[in-house]
Amino acid sequence: CEVGHYQNEGGQSTCLRCERGTYADKRGSDACEPCPAGKTTQGNGFSSLTDCQCPPGTYKNEVAGSCIACGTGAICKGFGGAPEAKIGNQ
């Protein structure tokens, strides 16, 4: 199987895409690795730990590297985006 995919049973004829919140960074994986706590991927079939990012409603604290809940008056789209002011709260 290619990266981002796995085969969990010997003899399978097809490879499965890693599910949301997981990734496989090696060819021939028999399982996908989970993203670190509080992080996820934007969909299925991802192949790198760097694809695990902060989900919508949070943003990445650059100092700590962790995801922080979006504050009141802001919108956080997640996945690397910075908090944005809600209309009327600028």
Side-chain angles (χ1 to χ4, degrees):
C1 296
E2 295 297 318
V3 294
H5 295 76
Y6 71 102
Q7 204 173 48
N8 61 351
E9 293 182 25
Q12 279 181 298
S13 60
T14 59
C15 295
L16 305 170
R17 289 175 23 177
C18 292
E19 295 180 7
R20 180 184 297 267
T22 67
Y23 67 96
D25 58 359
K26 295 177 182 69
R27 293 180 72 184
S29 294
D30 60 2
C32 299
E33 299 294 324
C35 288
K39 294 188 177 183
T40 191
T41 57
Q42 284 186 299
N44 300 331
F46 283 88
S47 60
S48 174
L49 176 61
T50 60
D51 294 319
C52 297
Q53 298 187 15
C54 297
T58 66
Y59 67 97
K60 182 178 179 182
N61 177 309
E62 294 298 333
V63 175
S66 58
C67 301
I68 305 294
C70 202
T72 303
I75 297 171
C76 296
K77 296 179 181 176
F79 304 108
E84 301 172 12
K86 287 183 183 175
I87 294 180
N89 288 324
Q90 297 177 2

